[in-house]
């Protein structure tokens, strides 16, 4: 792919009043262990740092929204256990409206154990109780009309579908975090989405190719009604530019990665807020890319999400823009 061109708009502060984003999906208590290197076989590995934090795709995205000056609400599910109370309390203390959370009697809350090495890469062992997502509340157009955008991940598909459909009826952006999911989940949710931001693994799995440019083109043909983007970590992001019919590529900001956990979720949260604010798409991608990159410099999963001021300061020094992607 070609190098990015110069691009230097003046970063804008968050609008007043702040835009409201509803995030739907995962709420997990993560235990993070920092290790020198990831294990390659059986044995014992000794971490040199440890942290517990409530996160998950939708939860981390909601935190990014709050940190960037938006108002974040989270609809997720926890069990009626001590872990569930901890998850809700942790997220509530982080500035996220958790009044829409579901507490499921008899279910166990989701937990993960995560190893993060000195290169920022991670090994994740998650556990989700199937009972958490058995019951789905009805979602009305009136409920969704209170928000400026909806962002759904793939962890609670039936609730995500109801919210995305209601968002479409209400004329609100309906954004799908297209991560790796169970068979048929993306195909079920994508028709209801106005914007789909895929992770690279999920995009390649759906498209059947590792060529990112070809992947974006194939996904646009498959889901032609929606804005299509693929995030590719240190290789930046690509999207199909509907006005020009071109596939665009934005290089990733160069940072020393300490912890890549939740970087994609921070990207999605920033993306959803920027779309809710009516930001042009290239500026949206730049803001989202920078927010994710800054997060990677901080150990602690979603705790590393930057503030709006930090992102704006970094963008002033990042004179990079998108260019047409070539194969």
């Amino acid at each position: 792919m070609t190098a990015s061109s110069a691009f230097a708009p003046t970063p804008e502060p968050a609008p007043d009043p702040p835009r409201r984003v509803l995030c739907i999906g995962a709420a997990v208590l993560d235990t993070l262990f920092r290790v020198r290197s990831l294990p390659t076989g059986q044995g014992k590995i000794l971490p040199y740092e440890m942290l517990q934090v409530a996160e998950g795709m939708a939860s981390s995205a909601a935190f990014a929204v709050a940190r960037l000056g938006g108002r974040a609400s989270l609809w997720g599910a926890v069990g009626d256990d001590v872990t569930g109370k901890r998850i809700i309390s942790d997220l509530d203390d982080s500035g996220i409206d958790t009044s829409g959370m579901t507490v499921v009697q008899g279910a166990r809350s989701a937990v993960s154990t995560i190893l993060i090495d000195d290169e920022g890469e991670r090994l994740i062992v998650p556990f989700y109780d199937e009972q958490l997502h058995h019951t789905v509340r009805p979602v009305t157009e009136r409920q969704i009309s209170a928000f400026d955008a909806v962002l759904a991940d793939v962890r609670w598909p039936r609730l995500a579908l109801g919210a995305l459909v209601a968002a479409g009826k209400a004329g609100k952006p309906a954004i799908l975090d297209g991560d790796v999911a169970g068979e048929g989940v993306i195909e079920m949710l994508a028709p209801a989405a106005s914007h789909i931001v895929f992770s690279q693994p999920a995009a390649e799995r759906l498209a059947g190719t590792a060529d990112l440019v070809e992947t974006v083109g194939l996904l646009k043909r498959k889901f032609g009604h929606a804005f299509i983007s693929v995030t590719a970590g240190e290789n930046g992001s690509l999207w199909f530019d509907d006005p020009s019919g071109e596939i665009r590529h934005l290089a990733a900001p160069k940072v020393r990665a300490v912890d890549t956990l939740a970087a994609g979720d921070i990207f999605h949260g920033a993306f959803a807020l920027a779309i809710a604010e009516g930001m042009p798409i290239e500026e949206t991608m730049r803001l989202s890319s920078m927010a994710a990159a800054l997060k990677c410099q901080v150990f602690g999963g979603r705790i590393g999400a930057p503030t709006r001021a930090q992102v704006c300061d970094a963008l002033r020094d990042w004179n990079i823009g998108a260019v047409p992607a070539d194969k």
Side-chain angles (χ1 to χ4, degrees):
M1 282 172 281
T2 346
S4 291
S5 63
F7 186 91
T10 303
E12 296 291 333
D16 187 23
R19 301 298 184 259
R20 298 190 64 190
V21 178
L22 171 62
C23 300
I24 298 170
V28 187
L29 183 63
D30 284 347
T31 302
L32 281 56
F33 293 105
R34 201 170 181 189
V35 299
R36 295 301 179 193
S37 59
L38 296 178
T40 56
Q42 65 178 0
K44 181 182 292 187
I45 184 167
L46 299 178
Y48 64 90
E49 194 168 351
M50 176 268 195
L51 173 71
Q52 283 191 315
V53 59
E55 47 189 3
M57 289 186 289
S59 300
S60 298
F63 183 61
V65 169
R67 289 282 282 170
L68 292 170
R71 293 176 61 191
S73 297
L74 178 67
W75 290 0
V78 297
D80 61 336
D81 51 20
V82 173
T83 301
K85 293 177 182 176
R86 164 74 186 274
I87 290 171
I88 291 176
S89 175
D90 195 352
L91 296 173
D92 190 58
D93 290 345
S94 297
I96 299 167
D97 174 16
T98 60
S99 61
M101 293 289 289
T102 298
V103 178
V104 183
Q105 300 298 312
R108 290 171 290 177
S109 298
V111 294
S112 287
T113 297
I114 303 171
L115 303 183
I116 302 170
D117 70 13
D118 283 346
E119 301 301 317
E121 296 302 323
R122 73 269 193 197
L123 175 65
I124 304 175
V125 183
F127 172 77
Y128 291 91
D129 187 338
E130 291 184 358
Q131 293 185 63
L132 286 175
H133 300 149
H134 275 178
T135 304
V136 178
R137 73 181 81 173
V139 183
T140 66
E141 182 180 337
R142 182 176 178 181
Q143 287 175 302
I144 298 302
S145 294
F147 301 96
D148 297 296
V150 171
L151 169 65
D153 72 27
V154 295
R155 290 292 176 258
W156 198 348
R158 289 189 295 158
L159 181 62
L161 180 60
L164 292 172
V165 169
K169 292 178 179 178
K172 307 291 184 177
I175 304 162
L176 175 61
D177 176 351
D179 203 355
V180 174
E183 190 69 32
V185 170
I186 294 289
E187 290 84 352
M188 178 181 75
L189 297 178
S194 60
H195 300 71
I196 311 174
V197 182
F198 291 97
S199 67
Q200 183 177 355
E204 291 178 350
R205 179 174 167 182
L206 280 169
T209 175
D211 184 307
L212 285 172
V213 179
E214 184 179 0
T215 291
V216 173
L218 288 169
L219 291 175
K220 181 61 182 179
R221 288 193 287 276
K222 187 176 181 69
F223 307 116
H225 65 286
F227 168 84
I228 298 295
S229 176
V230 175
T231 60
E234 63 183 10
N235 293 317
S237 56
L238 299 93
W239 68 93
F240 189 92
D241 183 64
D242 290 292
S244 68
E246 294 181 332
I247 296 172
R248 309 281 288 174
H249 173 243
L250 179 66
K254 295 188 181 302
V255 297
R256 181 186 178 275
V258 171
D259 173 11
T260 59
L261 180 67
D265 309 326
I266 302 307
F267 186 106
H268 284 90
F271 180 92
L273 180 60
I275 292 296
E277 293 176 359
M279 192 176 292
I281 195 62
E282 183 165 350
E283 292 180 40
T284 293
M285 299 299 287
R286 279 170 45 81
L287 181 139
S288 306
S289 297
M290 184 57 72
L294 294 176
K295 181 260 107 39
C296 289
Q297 297 180 110
V298 181
F299 172 73
R302 58 105 172 159
I303 288 174
T307 64
R308 187 70 166 242
Q310 288 171 327
V311 174
C312 287
D313 285 346
L315 285 173
R316 290 189 185 96
D317 298 328
W318 190 44
N319 189 28
I320 296 294
V323 297
D326 57 12
K327 297 183 69 174

